[in-house]
Amino acid sequence: MAAAEGSVRPGRNISGDKLPIYPTPESNPTITLIEKPNPLVPYIAQSREAVTGVLTDVRGYLQSGVGSWIGFERRVEKEVKSILPADESLNPGLIYVLISGLSGSVLTRTRSLPIRFLAPPVFTLAAAPYFLPKTSHNIRKYLSDLEDKNFPEFAARHDKFVNTGIAHTQMTLNRFRDATEDLKEWSEKSLNTLENKSGLQISNVISHNQVQKSLEQLKERKTSYETVGYVVEQKPVAEVVVPVEKEGEKKLV
C-alpha cells in the first residue's frame, strides 16, 4: 500500500531521504538569545534604593537618640551623686522635712489663701537645712552654679542682694548686742547709785535669790540612789594567846 501524500516516514525527512545517525551542522541551527529588559526593573531598583536610604537614616537617628539618652542619664547620675553626700542619709531626714511642710499646711488651714499657699514651702525650706544640712548646702550650690552659668546678670544682682541682707542683719545683731551691753551697764550703775544713796544692799538680795534658785534647781535635779554593794571592815573579834618559854629557862636533858 503506497504512503499517503505529504506524510513523513519514520527515520526519513520530508524528501524521503534517510536521516543520518550523527548530528550534522545542518541539523543543529545556531540559536541567538535576544535580551529584552523588563520595564519594571528600573522602578524596582529605585524603590529599593529609596527604602534602603530611609532605613539607614532611621537607624542613624535611633543610634543618635540612644547615645543622647545614655549621655543624659550619665549627666543626671553624676549631678545627683554630687548633690547627695555619701555620709548623710536621706532617711529619716527627708521624712522630717516633708512632715514639716505638712505641718505648715495644717497650721495655716484657717488662714487666707496666700498664707495657706506659701506656708508649706516656707516650712519645708526652713526645715531642710536643719534635718539635711549637707544636702541643702549642695542643692544651693548647684542652683547657684546654674544661675551663674545661664543668668549671669541676675546672679550678680542676687548675690548683691543677699550680701546686702547679710550685712544689714549682722549690723542689726551687733546693735542689739551693744544695746544689751549698754542696758546691762546702765542697770549696774543705777543699782550701785541706789545702794549708795539708800544704804540697801540690793545686790546681795539679788545674789541670794540667785543662790536660792540655783539650790532649788539642784534639788529638782537631785537623783535617787540605790544600793549596789556593801563595804565590810574587818575587825578582830578575840585574842588567842599561848605560853612561850624564855631561852634562859630552857633545861638540858
Side-chain angles (χ1 to χ4, degrees):
M1 185 175 180
E5 186 179 358
S7 63
V8 180
R9 296 176 59 187
R12 295 181 182 273
N13 56 15
I14 298 175
S15 60
D17 297 333
K18 189 176 182 180
L19 296 174
I21 300 174
Y22 300 102
T24 59
E26 292 79 3
S27 61
N28 291 329
T30 302
I31 301 174
T32 303
L33 298 177
I34 300 174
E35 184 178 359
K36 187 178 181 181
N38 193 335
L40 298 178
V41 171
Y43 299 102
I44 295 174
Q46 185 178 2
S47 301
R48 183 177 60 186
E49 291 176 358
V51 172
T52 303
V54 171
L55 292 177
T56 303
D57 294 340
V58 171
R59 182 180 179 184
Y61 289 141
L62 290 176
Q63 289 180 350
S64 177
V66 171
S68 301
W69 179 256
I70 292 175
F72 174 74
E73 285 184 345
R74 290 179 178 176
R75 289 195 301 271
V76 171
E77 182 181 1
K78 182 179 179 181
E79 291 176 356
V80 170
K81 287 183 178 179
S82 64
I83 292 175
L84 299 178
D87 55 346
E88 185 178 75
S89 178
L90 290 178
N91 188 21
L94 183 60
I95 297 176
Y96 296 153
V97 172
L98 295 177
I99 291 174
S100 301
L102 293 175
S103 301
S105 177
V106 172
L107 293 175
T108 59
R109 66 184 183 277
T110 59
R111 303 295 179 180
S112 60
L113 181 60
I115 297 177
R116 286 196 311 239
F117 180 76
L118 295 175
V122 169
F123 275 67
T124 302
L125 294 177
Y130 181 78
F131 296 107
L132 298 173
K134 295 182 179 180
T135 304
S136 301
H137 173 73
N138 294 338
I139 291 175
R140 288 195 301 270
K141 185 176 181 301
Y142 176 73
L143 295 177
S144 178
D145 294 340
L146 287 179
E147 188 181 29
D148 295 337
K149 181 179 179 181
N150 299 322
F151 309 99
E153 296 180 357
F154 180 76
R157 295 178 182 177
H158 184 204
D159 294 339
K160 183 179 179 180
F161 176 76
V162 172
N163 294 331
T164 304
I166 293 174
H168 283 291
T169 304
Q170 190 66 32
M171 290 174 59
T172 303
L173 292 176
N174 293 334
R175 290 181 180 178
F176 180 75
R177 293 193 188 97
D178 295 339
T180 304
E181 292 179 357
D182 294 340
L183 180 62
K184 185 177 179 180
E185 292 178 358
W186 180 82
S187 62
E188 290 179 354
K189 289 181 181 179
S190 301
L191 183 61
N192 293 331
T193 304
L194 182 62
E195 288 180 351
N196 293 331
K197 291 183 177 181
S198 63
L200 299 175
Q201 300 295 327
I202 301 175
S203 59
N204 295 334
V205 176
I206 296 175
S207 301
H208 179 70
N209 292 333
Q210 293 178 351
V211 171
Q212 291 294 332
K213 290 182 179 178
S214 300
L215 292 176
E216 290 178 359
Q217 291 177 357
L218 290 175
K219 289 180 180 179
E220 292 177 356
R221 296 178 182 178
K222 185 178 180 180
T223 56
S224 59
Y225 298 93
E226 61 178 358
T227 304
V228 295
Y230 297 93
V231 177
V232 179
E233 183 179 1
Q234 295 182 357
K235 293 183 179 180
V237 178
E239 182 179 0
V240 179
V241 296
V242 294
V244 178
E245 295 180 357
K246 296 182 180 180
E247 295 181 356
E249 295 179 354
K250 290 181 180 180
K251 295 181 180 180
L252 297 176
V253 178

